[in-house]
Amino acid sequence: MTTKQRQLIPDDVHTNGATPNPWWSNAVVYQIYPRSFQDSDNDGFGDLKGIASRLEYLAQLGIDAIWLSPVYRSPQDDNGYDISDYRDIDPMFGTLDDMDMLLSEAHAFGIKIIMDLVVNHTSDEHAWFQASRDRNSEYADWYWWRPARKGCEPGTPGAEPNRWGGTFGGSAWQYDPQRGEYYLHTFSKKQPDLNWENPSVRHAVYDMMNWWLDRGVDGFRMDVITLISKRIDEQGKLPGEDGGAIADEEAGEEGYSSPWPFSMDGPRLDEYLQEMRREVFAGRKGYLTVGEGQGISPQRNEYITDPEHEELDMLFLFDHVGVDQNGAKWNMEQLELPKLKAAMAEQQEAVKHNGWASLYFNNHDQPRALSRWGDTSTPEMRVKSAKALALMLHMHKGTPYVYQGEEIGMTNAGFTKLEQYRDLESINAYHQRVDEARVQDGASMMDSLARVSRDNSRTPMQWDDSTYAGFTSENSSNTPWLAVNKNKDTINAADQRDRPDSVFSFYKELIDLRHGNVVVAAGDFAALDVQDEHIYAFTRSIGEQRLLVVVNASSQAASLPEQTAALLADADDASRVLIANEDHQNILRQVERRKLEAWSALVYEI
């Protein structure tokens, strides 16, 4: 059995514990953020026709599936993660006919389409929520509605049902005068949480999912899916509610308590995911399910992704992308490489026998990893570190996810003024932390935004060096919705597609290697020299086949540590270098000196 790009892994090789091996066990997924990928009608926003026009580029890269961030009808309060109609396409992106066209053309290239699924919450403009505002409606219990705290005037500060804060700032509760109660919104006040305790909610979601799969979609990436089960007491009360049995947590520096201990990986999560599997995916083949896994440990990841438990195929974990954050997201620290190694190794060890890992450093919610952990001080270091970080990630066991622009080495936005940002989280966080709670000064908060704002990954895709980087026509009267990165003149796809030494060509090699080498796709993982502060090294093996991955993840020359040096002691054959981010002979000369130059990286057969 083959796809357009690759031979599938034979079933005598163990992957996630399923038989036959799933199609995605040696696949690579590419994430598209539609409003920033390609604008076909020059309105300043990317769209479905624009994506279709770039399928040849993605086929050249070699990816197997596209994860498409939300394109459903939406007020766009949170850039489409606030859905008002699950069965329609937002006019910003096109029409249902355009979606059908994209599915057909992608499939012709052998590329699957994975839709983003946002069902922890909807938009407050969704028909379900509007009906729910009537206490006598059949939808009255579809969301988390609660009365004001006893003795307090509804709608006034302190009257909220508990002290939970929202992810995007302020209280997690919003008063609705029409209903005379508060509704819970873990994120924006325009994103009310669905009440998954209600079976009617769950089955409405399953019906919608089946509708999309019947239409030709190949699976779902499930946004914040591990938040759908909230912890409640025997009376159905949330923590901290009047008369409830579960105490709330203490308020933090911004004046609110955290809902996460009571929302992440809740008591009925396994039940809901298993029900979803039965109601939506039973009897279907060729799909992929991947969940965003807030609060999920590597050990829980093993359980949820073990095919025997019939829940999800894989999860995005967060521990490794939090190793340089001290408490709040906005409190950034310098990366300590052993912390990253430990987090990645724990994820790998947890799926050693069954289950599967998602491999990512970048996505629409993360800053560009190249700016975050790499070296962009010179063009040479930027290219070397982009390739080194890619090799480091892709050589782990699991399914790699490439976020748009990562494959050409795109960097953070470089914004210096608050008005340049469009991200709801970033703007709200600035006002919450600087103007209201006053826990951070404006200058340091702007520095934090420059480092980790979600807009860093959302600047338009850099296709060429024209005025708007080929995202929108340079003759368009509409500017892109978010400013193009100024470095589009030197970092763009047109410059890299046919250049063998480019970041693009290196990603293509990495993808080809996973498609064709069963050890890369499914081999066992073993960490080396875990406390070394510069060298990131590990082995991958199946039987007698063994690969050594070595990356100098620093901007200085580094000596090879003991375990790695021992395995490379006889490294003198350039033909055994499967891939390296520089000339193979040169990198072996470095190995012979027991030292790697800054951001040197290789995979060697041992």
Side-chain angles (χ1 to χ4, degrees):
M1 181 179 180
T2 61
T3 69
K4 296 271 185 176
Q5 282 83 21
R6 71 199 192 286
Q7 183 76 31
L8 298 185
I9 297 176
D11 291 334
D12 60 355
V13 175
H14 181 90
T15 59
N16 70 327
T19 303
N21 281 319
W23 65 268
W24 41 258
S25 53
N26 66 343
V28 177
V29 182
Y30 187 94
Q31 183 191 358
I32 287 178
Y33 196 67
R35 65 167 49 212
S36 297
F37 193 64
Q38 180 65 68
D39 174 14
S40 72
D41 57 5
N42 294 325
D43 65 352
F45 297 92
D47 47 53
L48 295 174
K49 288 182 178 179
I51 294 169
S53 73
R54 296 295 186 177
L55 288 172
E56 184 179 357
Y57 168 86
L58 298 176
Q60 180 185 355
L61 182 61
I63 57 100
D64 306 284
I66 292 168
W67 153 23
L68 197 63
S69 285
V71 292
Y72 314 92
R73 187 175 288 272
S74 166
Q76 303 295 323
D77 181 61
D78 186 25
N79 288 5
Y81 283 87
D82 50 314
I83 297 169
S84 58
D85 188 343
Y86 288 106
R87 302 193 189 207
D88 198 7
I89 300 297
D90 194 279
M92 172 189 296
F93 301 119
T95 65
L96 277 171
D97 286 342
D98 293 335
M99 184 67 200
D100 291 339
M101 175 269 295
L102 176 61
L103 285 166
S104 176
E105 294 190 9
H107 290 163
F109 277 102
I111 296 173
K112 295 179 182 287
I113 299 289
I114 311 301
M115 288 278 279
D116 221 318
L117 182 74
V118 189
V119 290
N120 173 71
H121 49 266
T122 68
S123 166
D124 64 346
E125 298 182 30
H126 195 290
W128 296 346
F129 182 78
Q130 289 301 312
S132 187
R133 298 173 71 196
D134 180 353
R135 297 191 194 201
N136 298 314
S137 165
E138 64 179 296
Y139 295 92
D141 194 34
W142 280 45
Y143 296 82
W144 292 92
W145 291 101
R146 292 294 188 270
R149 187 173 293 277
K150 290 179 182 178
C152 296
E153 181 181 349
T156 61
E160 295 85 3
N162 67 16
R163 293 180 297 186
W164 285 0
T167 303
F168 295 160
S171 172
W173 296 95
Q174 180 68 22
Y175 182 67
D176 178 53
Q178 176 176 321
R179 174 147 171 161
E181 290 186 312
Y182 289 85
Y183 63 84
L184 175 67
H185 59 90
T186 303
F187 296 92
S188 162
K189 66 182 180 181
K190 289 185 65 64
Q191 294 172 296
D193 283 38
L194 283 164
N195 178 14
W196 275 68
E197 295 286 324
N198 186 333
S200 296
V201 170
R202 303 199 300 271
H203 287 286
V205 168
Y206 305 153
D207 286 347
M208 173 268 295
M209 294 172 70
N210 276 302
W211 184 84
W212 276 110
L213 289 171
D214 291 343
R215 203 172 188 102
V217 166
D218 301 293
F220 297 99
R221 177 267 183 185
M222 303 179 186
D223 185 67
V224 297
I225 196 67
T226 55
L227 305 185
I228 59 176
S229 172
K230 273 66 169 176
R231 186 180 172 194
I232 54 177
D233 65 15
E234 292 183 356
Q235 305 173 72
K237 291 182 179 291
L238 291 163
E241 279 196 76
D242 285 334
I246 305 174
D248 199 356
E249 294 214 323
E250 293 297 318
E253 64 177 0
E254 296 178 14
Y256 300 97
S257 63
S258 173
W260 300 129
F262 311 106
S263 301
M264 297 188 298
D265 197 14
R268 299 185 68 185
L269 179 64
D270 293 317
E271 173 192 343
Y272 295 159
L273 293 177
Q274 288 165 358
E275 181 182 68
M276 179 189 290
R277 176 74 71 155
R278 292 192 304 271
E279 296 294 324
V280 179
F281 299 102
R284 297 185 187 270
K285 296 181 179 179
Y287 61 84
L288 168 66
T289 61
V290 53
E292 189 180 19
Q294 283 91 341
I296 300 296
S297 67
Q299 293 70 37
R300 277 288 285 146
N301 176 76
E302 177 189 24
Y303 184 92
I304 292 171
T305 65
D306 185 335
E308 181 179 334
H309 299 140
E310 298 185 327
E311 297 189 28
L312 297 175
D313 295 326
M314 58 190 88
L315 281 161
F316 293 120
L317 302 189
F318 284 80
D319 47 343
H320 69 292
V321 291
V323 293
D324 56 356
Q325 295 170 349
N326 182 9
K329 168 180 178 175
W330 312 106
N331 296 329
M332 297 294 295
E333 299 178 332
Q334 189 69 28
L335 174 66
E336 296 177 25
L337 189 63
K339 290 183 178 180
L340 178 62
K341 289 193 281 187
M344 295 296 290
E346 187 177 12
Q347 292 181 20
Q348 293 283 288
E349 185 63 26
V351 294
K352 184 174 183 178
H353 302 293
N354 287 322
W356 201 246
S358 297
L359 307 175
Y360 79 98
F361 288 157
N362 297 272
N363 64 32
H364 66 291
D365 283 336
Q366 299 292 330
R368 294 284 183 180
L370 177 54
S371 295
R372 183 180 189 175
W373 294 332
D375 184 342
T376 60
S377 61
T378 67
E380 180 187 7
M381 284 296 101
R382 173 176 51 78
V383 169
K384 285 191 68 173
S385 58
K387 293 178 179 180
L389 287 168
L391 184 146
M392 177 197 300
L393 180 73
H394 280 243
M395 287 302 107
H396 287 82
K397 180 181 180 180
T399 296
Y401 287 75
V402 177
Y403 179 72
Q404 65 182 47
E406 176 186 343
E407 78 282 2
I408 59 171
M410 282 181 62
T411 64
N412 277 357
F415 294 157
T416 57
K417 299 177 182 178
L418 187 61
E419 54 264 32
Q420 292 175 290
Y421 290 91
R422 299 290 180 269
D423 176 35
L424 180 70
E425 180 192 45
S426 299
I427 296 168
N428 285 2
Y430 182 93
H431 292 303
Q432 176 74 27
R433 295 179 66 80
V434 176
D435 300 332
E436 297 174 25
R438 298 184 179 180
V439 296
Q440 195 166 353
D441 65 76
S444 68
M445 189 61 190
M446 287 304 300
D447 180 65
S448 296
L449 292 178
R451 296 176 69 182
V452 295
S453 168
R454 301 190 302 181
D455 276 345
N456 283 307
S457 62
R458 299 176 180 184
T459 56
M461 177 68 181
Q462 293 164 211
W463 295 107
D464 58 40
D465 62 0
S466 61
T467 304
Y468 300 127
F471 166 73
T472 294
S473 170
E474 59 184 336
N475 300 317
S476 173
S477 59
N478 296 305
T479 59
W481 73 279
L482 187 63
V484 172
N485 195 311
K486 293 179 181 179
N487 61 22
K488 50 87 178 176
D489 291 343
T490 53
I491 303 173
N492 63 73
D495 173 62
Q496 295 190 30
R497 285 185 68 174
D498 299 317
R499 194 156 48 78
D501 63 343
S502 69
V503 177
F504 178 89
S505 293
F506 191 75
Y507 267 81
K508 189 175 184 302
E509 286 184 67
L510 284 169
I511 294 169
D512 288 344
L513 190 59
R514 179 166 296 270
H515 288 165
N517 190 304
V518 72
V519 181
V520 173
D524 291 335
F525 171 93
L528 299 171
D529 298 303
V530 293
Q531 293 305 316
D532 192 89
E533 297 180 353
H534 303 290
I535 301 295
Y536 192 127
F538 54 90
T539 61
R540 300 289 310 285
S541 59
I542 293 179
E544 297 300 314
Q545 295 178 279
R546 198 176 184 199
L547 304 178
L548 173 62
V549 180
V550 186
V551 179
N552 178 3
S554 72
S555 297
Q556 60 192 70
S559 298
L560 291 174
E562 182 179 356
Q563 292 175 306
T564 305
L567 290 174
L568 281 171
D570 299 321
D572 57 2
D573 185 353
S575 69
R576 292 167 68 184
V577 179
L578 264 64
I579 187 171
N581 67 343
E582 55 189 281
D583 177 75
H584 292 193
Q585 291 287 0
N586 178 54
I587 209 165
L588 283 186
R589 285 192 290 269
Q590 294 181 43
V591 168
E592 186 178 354
R593 297 192 300 269
R594 296 296 181 264
K595 182 171 285 192
L596 285 182
E597 299 303 321
W599 293 104
S600 294
L602 76 156
V603 179
Y604 192 78
E605 292 183 303
I606 55 175

